[in-house]
Amino acid sequence: MTGASFIGYTRGSLAGPKSHAINPSTQEVMEPGYAAPSAEEVESAVQLAASAFPAYRKTSAAQRAEFLRSIAEEIEESADALAARGTAESGLPEARLRGETGRTVGQLRMFATMLDDGSWLDARIETAIPDRAPLPKADIRSMLRPLGPVVVFCASNFPLAFSVAGGDTASALAAGCPVIVKAHSSHPGTAELVAEAVIRAAQKCNMPNGVFSVLYGSGRDVGMTLVTHPEIKAVGFTGSRTGGRALMDAAAARPEPIPVYAEMSSINPVVMLPGVLGEKANALAEGFSQSLTMGVGQFCTNPGLVFVPEGSQQAFLNALEKHIKNAAPGVMLNAGICLAYRDATAATSRHQGVTQFASEVSTNQGQGSPMFFVCSAQTFLQSPALTHEMFGPASLIVIGSLDEITAAAKTLEGQLTASIFGTDDDLTQTPELLEIIERKAGRLIFNGYPTGVEVCSTMVHGGPYPSTSDGRSTSVGTMAVLRFTRAVAWQNCPQALLPDELKDSNPLKIPQMINGKRA
Ligand code: NAP
């Protein structure tokens, strides 16, 4: 490993200020140091991406599919090195790193399969009606086209699946957009290993130089320079609300505003209904405890808020207390995240009307302890601070009448997910609550916990602000490609000049909608 940025096919210099990964389990400072790129190197990465775009957007879907599959193969070649370095940099167990490698290559191959099919382009043809009265109708054809160079910010909590070659990068490359990645300072070595794999694949597949770069350095400096650069046309981000919001505001203030697809904070409310609590409070508490503590709670879909109807709560709370008291503290991803977790849970515990339940809270450096808090719906309704994300293995249980729970659900901000547990009878008796949570969340889960996001064509991993910056989008699943495209229409364009996807002869044999009917 060298510690240098990837400026297209060349490596940056090592002259800039260096930062090191810190092993969160041992506090060891890891080598090498990662050098921030100079302003000239950042500019060079952007200019290379801009110059690669005209060639890359013209690559065929088959060529881009081959590129994505080649990246997946190269990452698999590095699986052992990634497991070792990723574990040391993140404190996550090896099995998780290996599982995430599988998910990452699976995502890349999913987008390759999507490209093979062609329906994602939404090719539409409306043929001319020259003799229509009172006005003739023109021949109009449309399909999705790539936006241009995209910046992707790596996430701290998914060093592979939401990082250098994660879902944002895979969907942007599939769309035909060059990608510049801003590596996360928590796992720069993992980023370097994945970047090498992507560059090897790009060279093997003869992709234009500049189709992919990875830059180290700080978000406020390198990240902001990229987001405000006129050649950059969209941004993908996963992280804090503060960081995401800063990027959204900077992008909106540009002379040419650009879309920022930021996945930020979500507390993923869970509603337990009385019938199901009466039937299986113990099993619900066990499942909840597993969902809450998995990965030391560092998932964007962690269940941070649970509504339990008054009168049905006791068996559930008793069982949950036992599980949480037996749950061990775990190493968190980095010192900043651990400190933020401790501050957020301490603030909740100090809140009047809130009771804390936990095993002995660990003061070991870098560790987060599982815990939950209980309060009444009245307290919750009067305290907006109780809706703040506690990123880690902590959740707030709110006890109230169904009317109070419905009123509290109405006050929630946008969420990635909302889960509801109920018997058939429970569910049919709460239509208003179901309607409210549908308006609040990107994914509704019935009788299941929110952690574990399936990567598939129907997944929506998005939701109204502030869970994401744009509730019309998803960062997981094939619909993620739409974020990096825009629809273009060709009116009365000669057949020879049309993209192949829109020609009458349909040489690529892709699905076309012709005069309102799917062929
Ligand atoms: P972060 O602080 O938002 O950082 C993510 C990336 O954005 C980093 O590359 C960072 O650069 C950059 N960045 C942050 N603020 C910026 C700004 N004002 N301008 C430009 N770039 C900026 O997130 P994190 O480090 O992953 O974790 C911090 C907190 O975020 C956690 O404690 C948690 O609350 C939340 N989080 C939430 C989720 C979720 O899915 N809900 C996931 C991860 C984290 P640097 O490298 O310079 O820091």
Side-chain angles (χ1 to χ4, degrees), residues 433-455:
L433 194 53
L434 287 174
E435 201 188 312
I436 291 165
I437 63 172
E438 189 210 305
R439 295 205 309 260
K440 297 284 179 182
R443 179 164 57 109
L444 307 181
I445 302 150
F446 291 85
N447 291 308
Y449 290 106
T451 41
V453 180
E454 185 69 38
V455 180

Side-chain angles (χ1 to χ4, degrees), residues 56 64 68 111-112 114-115 120 169-177 481:
Y56 189 56
R64 294 202 298 286
L68 295 179
F111 281 107
M114 179 200 78
L115 287 171
W120 71 279
T169 296
S171 51
L173 289 177
C177 300
V481 74

Side-chain angles (χ1 to χ4, degrees), residues 153-158 182-186 217-224 227 237-247 263-268 298-301 332-334 336-341 389-392 416 461 467:
F153 285 74
C154 294
S156 57
N157 59 339
F158 278 89
K182 202 311 249 166
H184 199 285
S185 49
S186 281
S218 88
R220 282 166 190 77
D221 179 7
V222 173
M224 274 298 177
V227 171
F237 169 92
T238 303
S240 65
R241 192 191 303 196
T242 318
R245 184 74 218 203
L247 300 179
E263 189 205 312
M264 302 174 285
S265 57
S266 181
I267 53 173
N268 305 298
Q298 298 163 113
F299 289 113
C300 39
T301 51
M332 300 198 79
L333 291 159
N334 62 44
I337 285 180
C338 185
L339 189 66
Y341 176 66
E389 184 181 39
M390 298 178 279
F391 191 69
L416 291 172
H461 189 62
S467 63

